[in-house]
């Protein structure tokens, strides 16, 4: 059975001491909770070692929010997938719309990053999603299919088994406007079918597909109740244990 996942994406928030506090408070809040999902904390590079230490001995998975296209060398300011893996992190978020929009990450870049991540044993949380104009034009399915085809459908079946998909409509990110559970289910079902067309039904059924975009403790139960919604990638509501816990408990 595919995994249910509640994944935090802290983005560029918290200093290192604040991040350690947040990780500890999430750890504490989860103690004794009968959880039906994996919990992932996506944190800035600077926090990886300390957060990995703060959750040591639990099954909380630490993830980076990015990694380099190259394995090593003269790339000032970059952080390789090997560096990420050496911190104790087990996953990396790639292809987030904020990276595509603000840092011009295209599919070619993402193919290289995904390859680096998988070469270094990291699970990939691969993001996709349309903007408002694309949705208004009814092009959301084409946009998402192309992002998958160009970003990860080059992978072998074996490699693809290390990928989790996060559908994050750009119009719902940080806006307070969530996709309805019907809209989320419709797209995630489409994504699963698209995966089935490429990799077959068995792999499609095993792939966890998350929804992201203004997901919170209030709307998570309805979203996660949909058959194709395997969890969430959470921004704002992951920045306090108090807000994040109800999402973890929403399955
Ligand atoms: P919000 O939950 O703040 O809308 O962010 C979603 C997101 O981008 C997670 O990656």
């Amino acid at each position: 059975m595919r995994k249910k996942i509640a994944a935090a994406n802290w983005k560029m928030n918290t200093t290192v001491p604040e991040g350690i506090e947040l990780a500890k408070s999430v750890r504490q809040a989860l103690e004794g909770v009968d959880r039906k999902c994996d919990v992932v904390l996506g944190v800035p590079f600077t926090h990886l070692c300390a957060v990995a230490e703060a959750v040591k001995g639990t099954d909380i998975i630490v993830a980076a929010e990015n990694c380099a296209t190259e394995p090593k060398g003269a790339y000032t300011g970059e952080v390789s997938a090997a560096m990420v893996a050496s911190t104790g992190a087990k996953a990396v978020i790639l292809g987030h719309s904020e990276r595509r929009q603000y840092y011009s990450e295209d599919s070619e870049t993402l193919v290289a990053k995904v390859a680096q991540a998988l070469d270094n044993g990291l699970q990939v949380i691969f993001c996709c999603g349309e903007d408002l104009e694309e949705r208004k034009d009814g092009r959301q399915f084409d946009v998402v299919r192309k992002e998958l085809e160009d970003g990860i459908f080059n992978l072998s079946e074996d490699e693809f088994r290390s990928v989790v998909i996060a559908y994050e409509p750009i119009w719902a990110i940080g806006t307070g406007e969530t996709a309805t559970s019907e809209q989320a289910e419709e797209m995630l079902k489409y994504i699963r079918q698209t995966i089935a067309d490429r990799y077959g039904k068995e792999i499609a059924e095993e792939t966890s597909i998350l929804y992201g975009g203004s997901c919170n403790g209030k709307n998570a139960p309805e979203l996660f109740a949909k058959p194709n919604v395997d969890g969430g990638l959470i921004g704002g509501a992951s920045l306090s244990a108090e807000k994040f816990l109800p999402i973890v408990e929403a399955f």
Side-chain angles (χ1 to χ4, degrees), residues 10 21-30 237-249:
W10 290 359
E21 269 320 294
L22 177 53
K24 283 185 180 165
S25 62
V26 170
R27 175 187 179 143
Q28 217 167 26
L30 293 179
S238 73
L239 292 173
S240 81
E242 202 186 3
K243 288 189 179 151
F244 191 51
L245 185 66
I247 299 172
V248 174
E249 290 180 315

Side-chain angles (χ1 to χ4, degrees), residues 9 11 96 98 168 172-174 213-215 233-236:
N9 177 7
K11 306 191 180 184
H96 194 283
E98 287 151 14
E168 301 204 302
I173 295 177
S214 300
C215 187
L233 182 55
I234 319 297

